[in-house]
CSV table of all heavy atoms in Angstrom, one decimal:
chain,number,residue,atom,x,y,z
B,73,GLN,N,121.2,94.8,54.2
B,73,GLN,CA,120.6,94.2,55.3
B,73,GLN,C,120.2,95.1,56.4
B,73,GLN,O,119.1,95.2,56.9
B,73,GLN,CB,121.5,93.1,55.8
B,73,GLN,CG,120.9,92.1,56.8
B,73,GLN,CD,121.9,91.2,57.4
B,73,GLN,OE1,123.1,91.3,57.1
B,73,GLN,NE2,121.5,90.3,58.3
B,74,ALA,N,121.2,95.9,56.9
B,74,ALA,CA,121.0,96.8,57.9
B,74,ALA,C,120.0,97.9,57.5
B,74,ALA,O,119.1,98.2,58.2
B,74,ALA,CB,122.4,97.5,58.2
B,75,LYS,N,120.1,98.3,56.3
B,75,LYS,CA,119.2,99.3,55.8
B,75,LYS,C,117.8,98.9,55.9
B,75,LYS,O,116.9,99.6,56.4
B,75,LYS,CB,119.5,99.7,54.3
B,75,LYS,CG,118.8,100.9,53.9
B,75,LYS,CD,119.1,101.3,52.4
B,75,LYS,CE,120.5,101.8,52.2
B,75,LYS,NZ,120.8,102.2,50.8
B,76,SER,N,117.5,97.7,55.4
B,76,SER,CA,116.1,97.3,55.4
B,76,SER,C,115.6,97.0,56.9
B,76,SER,O,114.4,97.3,57.2
B,76,SER,CB,115.9,96.0,54.6
B,76,SER,OG,116.5,94.9,55.1
B,77,ALA,N,116.5,96.6,57.7
B,77,ALA,CA,116.1,96.4,59.1
B,77,ALA,C,115.7,97.8,59.7
B,77,ALA,O,114.7,97.9,60.3
B,77,ALA,CB,117.3,95.8,59.9
B,78,VAL,N,116.5,98.8,59.4
B,78,VAL,CA,116.2,100.1,59.9
B,78,VAL,C,114.9,100.6,59.3
B,78,VAL,O,114.1,101.1,60.1
B,78,VAL,CB,117.4,101.1,59.6
B,78,VAL,CG1,117.0,102.5,59.8
B,78,VAL,CG2,118.6,100.7,60.3
B,79,LEU,N,114.8,100.5,58.1
B,79,LEU,CA,113.6,101.0,57.4
B,79,LEU,C,112.3,100.4,58.0
B,79,LEU,O,111.3,101.1,58.3
B,79,LEU,CB,113.6,100.8,55.9
B,79,LEU,CG,114.7,101.7,55.2
B,79,LEU,CD1,114.7,101.4,53.7
B,79,LEU,CD2,114.3,103.2,55.4
B,80,SER,N,112.4,99.1,58.2
B,80,SER,CA,111.2,98.4,58.7
B,80,SER,C,110.9,98.8,60.2
B,80,SER,O,109.8,99.0,60.6
B,80,SER,CB,111.2,96.9,58.5
B,80,SER,OG,111.7,96.3,59.7
B,81,ALA,N,112.0,99.0,60.9
B,81,ALA,CA,111.8,99.5,62.3
B,81,ALA,C,111.2,100.9,62.3
B,81,ALA,O,110.3,101.2,63.1
B,81,ALA,CB,113.2,99.5,63.0
B,82,MET,N,111.7,101.7,61.4
B,82,MET,CA,111.1,103.1,61.3
B,82,MET,C,109.6,103.0,61.0
B,82,MET,O,108.8,103.7,61.6
B,82,MET,CB,111.8,103.9,60.2
B,82,MET,CG,113.1,104.4,60.6
B,82,MET,SD,113.9,105.1,59.1
B,82,MET,CE,115.3,106.0,59.8
B,83,GLU,N,109.3,102.2,60.1
B,83,GLU,CA,107.9,102.0,59.7
B,83,GLU,C,107.1,101.5,60.9
B,83,GLU,O,106.1,102.2,61.2
B,83,GLU,CB,107.9,100.9,58.6
B,83,GLU,CG,106.5,100.5,58.1
B,83,GLU,CD,106.0,101.5,57.0
B,83,GLU,OE1,106.8,102.4,56.6
B,83,GLU,OE2,104.9,101.3,56.6
B,84,GLN,N,107.5,100.5,61.5
B,84,GLN,CA,106.8,99.9,62.6
B,84,GLN,C,106.5,100.9,63.7
B,84,GLN,O,105.5,101.0,64.3
B,84,GLN,CB,107.6,98.8,63.3
B,84,GLN,CG,107.3,97.4,62.7
B,84,GLN,CD,108.2,96.4,63.4
B,84,GLN,OE1,108.0,96.1,64.6
B,84,GLN,NE2,109.1,95.8,62.7
Side-chain angles (χ1 to χ4, degrees):
Chain B
Q73 191 188 1
K75 190 183 288 182
S76 66
V78 169
L79 289 176
S80 96
M82 283 175 167
E83 178 85 2
Q84 271 179 65

